[in-house]
Each structure stands twice: as C-alpha cells, then as structure tokens.
Amino acid sequence: MFAAVMKLVSFLILSAAICHAQNGSLPNDYNSVSTDGLISNSSRYNTILRVDNGTYGPQLEEVHYFYKYWPVGIAVSSQGRIFVTYTRGEYDYTLAEVANKTSERPYPSQDIQLAPDQLNTTFNGIPFGSDNASALNSVQALHITPASSTRPETLWLIDTGRPTIQDSTGSYTMPYAQPGGPKLIGISLDNDTITDTYTFPPDVHFPDSYLNDLRFDLRPTINAAYLVDSSNEGRPGFIMVNLTTGDSWRRLSYHPSVLVDYNALPVYQGHPWYYRNPNQPRSFFREGLDGIQISPDGAYIYYSPLSSQNLYRVPTANLLAPTSDPLSEQAASNNVSWLGQRGGPANGFEGDTNGRIYMCMPTQNAVFYWDERDLGVHAFVRDPRIIWPDGASIGQDGYIYVIVNQLPYMDTWNNGVNARQYPGTILRARLPDGGSKITGLV
C-alpha cells in the first residue's frame, strides 16, 4: 500500500513540476545544465582535457578551526555568537561557545558538564547513561529561537543521555538511556542561564532511543518542539513536546519513511566505505531519521533518514494531533509525502526564509537544497574541504554555517584507527536570493 501511495505521489510531483515549467514560472537557471566546477585546458593537471576541480557555488569562508575535540552540532545567534556540541565519552565537556578563531570554552560553564567518569553507570552488568537531569551528558544538536515578547533569544539543546564508550573488547558502544538523562534544555542568551528543562517518560523515550535534531514553533497557539529519535537499534521516529504543559508523545515510529536503506554502500572521497567497528564484523553504516527542518509557515516538517537518498515531508498538524485521537497515527502515516531522491545520503538539514531546504551531503562534499518552486534538488556549494558536513545553522546575517568533522575517518569506523587530522572547521557561505534565518515562528 505504501509503495502504491509513493508511486501516486511521484506522479503528482512530476506533473506539478511540468506544469510549473510550462507556465514559465521558473527562473532560467532551473532549466539549464550546470557546468560549475568543470574547467578546460588546465595547466595544474598538465592536460588539455576537461577537469572537475571539485568546486562550485559561492565562496566558502573558514570561520573557525577545532584543535581539541571533534564537533557535531552548531547554532549561530543573532549577535554572531557560535555554539557547538561534541558527542562524547572521553571529552571534558559536551557544549561550548567559540571563543576565538582556534579555541572554544565550555558553555554555559564547566560545572554543568558531567565529568567523563560520571557519564554512565552499570546495573546487573548492563551500562546505562547518567540519569542526572540537571547536568549535561552528551549533547547532540542545537537550535536558536529568536527573541519574542514572551521569551528571550534562546539556545535549545538535546542531551542524548547516551555517551559513546569502549567496552571490555575495545568495541565502541552507547549505554542505554535512563529517564532524566535524555532531555531538552533551553538557555537564555540574555544571561546564559537555563530557563527550561524537559525530560521524557519511558513510553516516549525508550532506553535505545537517540535524540538527534530539533526544530520549534513558538507561536502561542502551537508552542511546541519537534525532536528526532534516530535510533538505529530500536524505533526511530518523531517526539513532540508541548512546551506549555511539558507533555510529550511520539509519531511515525518505525514508519517506512524514517527507516534506513539497508546495506547501502556510500562513497567518501572516491572510496567505497564500509563500517568497521573494532572487534565486530564489517557492516554498513545505518542511521534512520536524521535531518529535520520546518517550513517558514510552520505547516510542514521536512525530514530524511541519513542512510537514504529519499526526502519526505509531513504536515505538522499530524505530528501535533493529540494521542487521544485514535486515528492520529494513521492520519500522519497517510499524509507522509515522498518528495523524490536527492542524489545521496544527507546529514543535517537547515531552511531559509525562501523555503529552501538545505541538506548536508557527505558523499558529495557538498550542500544541496530542495526548492518547492520546481520540486527539485539543486546544487548549492561543493568544495573538497567539506569532508563530512555534519551540522548546519543559518544565521540572521544571511550565511549558512557548516560543521566539518571528517566523521568517516574516526576510529569507530576504521577498526580502532583514528585517521582524522586536525583541524576540524566551521565553514560558511552566503545564501542566495537574500535568504536568511526563519524568524516568524515566535
């Protein structure tokens, strides 16, 4: 049934795109073949042949260099403050603010960050993450919401409660989560103090859940957070939080659209890439629901598994429907739309005021975007320096900031051999057509 629905959706999308083109409503560049990055007669390569030099798009600026820890998440404030996260097992802190070009400082302080030996406990021989709801365990993602009449500009973060550790065999693993460890936290950027903490009941966040990303609609009639559970062990899906009542619930758990494309073999820097965790059989990297972005009007959530080429969206009304409605889950499932493939697996998402959905593309060393004007995927920026773009943040300055962390070269992927080379980096590029951060959902 799902396959039949997807075929119908594909036909409707294609028909709509044809109608747009026939009506002449698209700019010329949407109907042309891009040759950006292709050069001819290059003395650098000592050839008269045409060469792909690996780049296209706007100029990339190197904003920051990481020399201590490898970053994952990023958020940029209206004042240009940059915050980053580090998922951890051995790092001294998991949330930091960029201090200068080459260093960061624990944020909001070192005191709130659990020490490495406090990250997990063991019950009956089974490791569990800390249940401390007042301290930071392993922060995955960040998002900043603009100031409003009722709330200051706020840095939101999700703590997975599940640090990565090495077991007795040397393999890397994540302890199970226990209530209190996984949480959603809001920090006022006016005074750098915690203003909100939300934890989850065990029937919403499972021991094998993994919080991955987050978006918000803070308009008074909504006031909700949309969180991603990307668990590759259990039931990936969405977790919603009513920020007024603190209630939370799940939707689309284990729906086909949130699942991995099993046994897909990606290519990084021209090399086919298997997942090689020490002392475990060679396998494939598998991560379900990962990227998430809300539309400027708050009507849709766009999303995708990481290990997949497919892009989907679902009406936010279906995610927000009360669980007391016996048809809420069925309605959400029925209203999932497949928007087509994008040309590779995608990691972090972002979105701008023009409605474009930006997607970090690790196998392409690039950032692509999906545009509702023609229902197609387009190139934005490609550069050999973009070695695994992990997280992204659009600032009110009209730039997209991208974390580059060389993830496929970490020791957990390479039989315990760490092939990463410092520095990691934050790169930024100016958005096209005056695009900027979405600020209307407050």
Side-chain angles (χ1 to χ4, degrees):
M1 181 63 183
F2 183 77
V5 171
M6 291 300 98
K7 289 180 181 179
L8 176 59
V9 171
S10 301
F11 173 77
L12 294 175
I13 290 174
L14 179 60
S15 299
I18 292 173
C19 289
H20 273 290
Q22 289 175 341
N23 290 336
S25 59
L26 298 177
N28 291 332
D29 61 342
Y30 282 75
N31 299 312
S32 62
V33 176
S34 175
T35 56
D36 291 346
L38 292 175
I39 58 176
S40 300
N41 302 324
S42 169
S43 59
R44 176 180 177 182
Y45 297 97
N46 192 28
T47 180
I48 62 171
L49 301 179
R50 199 177 202 186
V51 174
D52 175 5
N53 73 357
T55 63
Y56 57 65
Q59 184 71 32
L60 276 177
E61 300 176 29
E62 298 176 4
V63 174
H64 181 75
Y65 304 111
F66 295 92
Y67 286 96
K68 188 175 183 180
Y69 300 141
W70 291 100
V72 175
I74 181 172
V76 181
S77 80
S78 62
Q79 301 302 310
R81 298 171 69 182
I82 300 176
F83 304 91
V84 293
T85 69
Y86 317 89
T87 56
R88 64 170 183 166
E90 300 174 351
Y91 294 171
D92 291 332
Y93 48 86
T94 184
L95 174 63
E97 180 177 1
V98 167
N100 54 49
K101 189 82 170 184
T102 59
S103 67
E104 313 87 46
R105 53 176 171 260
Y107 182 83
S109 68
Q110 182 68 60
D111 295 341
I112 196 176
Q113 326 250 354
L114 290 174
D117 61 358
Q118 299 174 321
L119 296 180
N120 61 282
T121 55
T122 300
F123 298 104
N124 297 322
I126 301 174
F128 285 84
S130 169
D131 63 352
N132 191 331
S134 301
L136 301 182
N137 189 308
S138 183
V139 178
Q140 171 72 23
L142 302 170
H143 189 77
I144 291 176
T145 54
S148 70
S149 59
T150 58
R151 181 186 291 275
E153 185 173 23
T154 301
L155 174 70
W156 296 92
L157 60 95
I158 43 176
D159 187 343
T160 68
R162 303 187 65 191
T164 298
I165 62 173
Q166 280 185 287
D167 62 21
S168 58
T169 70
S171 295
Y172 290 87
T173 185
M174 284 190 295
Y176 289 119
Q178 55 177 322
K183 49 193 170 285
L184 168 67
I185 291 177
I187 301 176
S188 167
L189 294 184
D190 281 358
N191 55 21
D192 301 321
T193 59
I194 293 176
T195 57
D196 304 88
T197 299
Y198 300 90
T199 57
F200 309 95
D203 61 342
V204 172
H205 189 289
F206 310 125
D208 55 5
S209 291
Y210 189 87
L211 295 175
N212 196 300
D213 212 343
L214 67 170
R215 291 296 184 269
F216 294 84
D217 187 338
L218 300 184
R219 292 176 295 179
T221 56
I222 306 294
N223 202 32
Y226 305 88
L227 311 184
V228 165
D229 178 355
S230 68
S231 173
N232 59 8
E233 308 156 73
R235 292 150 283 188
F238 289 99
I239 294 175
M240 274 60 62
V241 182
N242 183 317
L243 300 175
T244 301
T245 66
D247 294 336
S248 56
W249 61 95
R250 297 183 67 92
R251 194 75 81 233
L252 295 178
S253 295
Y254 227 72
H255 186 270
S257 65
V258 304
L259 301 181
V260 302
D261 182 4
Y262 283 96
N263 298 337
L265 181 63
V267 174
Y268 304 120
Q269 288 72 60
H271 298 279
W273 215 276
Y274 296 93
Y275 184 69
R276 296 177 173 91
N277 195 350
N279 302 305
Q280 293 186 9
R282 185 181 74 178
S283 61
F284 300 88
F285 181 65
R286 296 169 177 165
E287 186 168 308
L289 178 60
D290 187 298
I292 178 178
Q293 178 56 35
I294 192 168
S295 60
D297 61 1
Y300 292 99
I301 288 290
Y302 294 82
Y303 65 95
S304 170
L306 194 162
S307 303
S308 168
Q309 293 205 34
N310 297 303
L311 177 65
Y312 301 92
R313 76 178 182 185
V314 64
T316 52
N318 291 121
L319 298 180
L320 297 173
T323 54
S324 58
D325 179 355
L327 296 179
S328 58
E329 182 65 30
Q330 184 64 55
S333 178
N334 289 350
N335 284 324
V336 169
S337 297
W338 177 65
L339 301 178
Q341 292 198 341
R342 66 174 153 257
N347 203 12
F349 279 26
E350 251 291 12
D352 69 5
T353 49
N354 291 319
R356 290 168 172 157
I357 308 301
Y358 292 84
M359 301 170 285
C360 294
M361 304 293 293
T363 61
Q364 310 297 333
N365 304 101
V367 177
F368 291 174
Y369 65 85
W370 182 86
D371 198 320
E372 192 170 23
R373 289 183 293 177
D374 73 338
L375 307 177
V377 176
H378 300 273
F380 172 56
V381 63
R382 178 180 178 226
D383 193 284
R385 290 172 291 179
I386 305 178
I387 303 175
W388 193 280
D390 202 314
S393 178
I394 288 177
Q396 293 186 35
D397 57 4
Y399 283 87
I400 184 170
Y401 294 74
V402 179
I403 287 281
V404 175
N405 62 15
Q406 304 174 36
L407 192 71
Y409 296 94
M410 66 190 300
D411 46 356
T412 57
W413 290 33
N414 294 290
N415 279 328
V417 176
N418 184 4
R420 284 169 154 175
Q421 292 186 4
Y422 284 115
T425 190
I426 298 172
L427 303 174
R428 77 173 187 175
R430 184 171 290 280
L431 296 176
D433 302 328
S436 187
K437 181 182 179 69
I438 297 171
T439 59
L441 299 179
V442 293

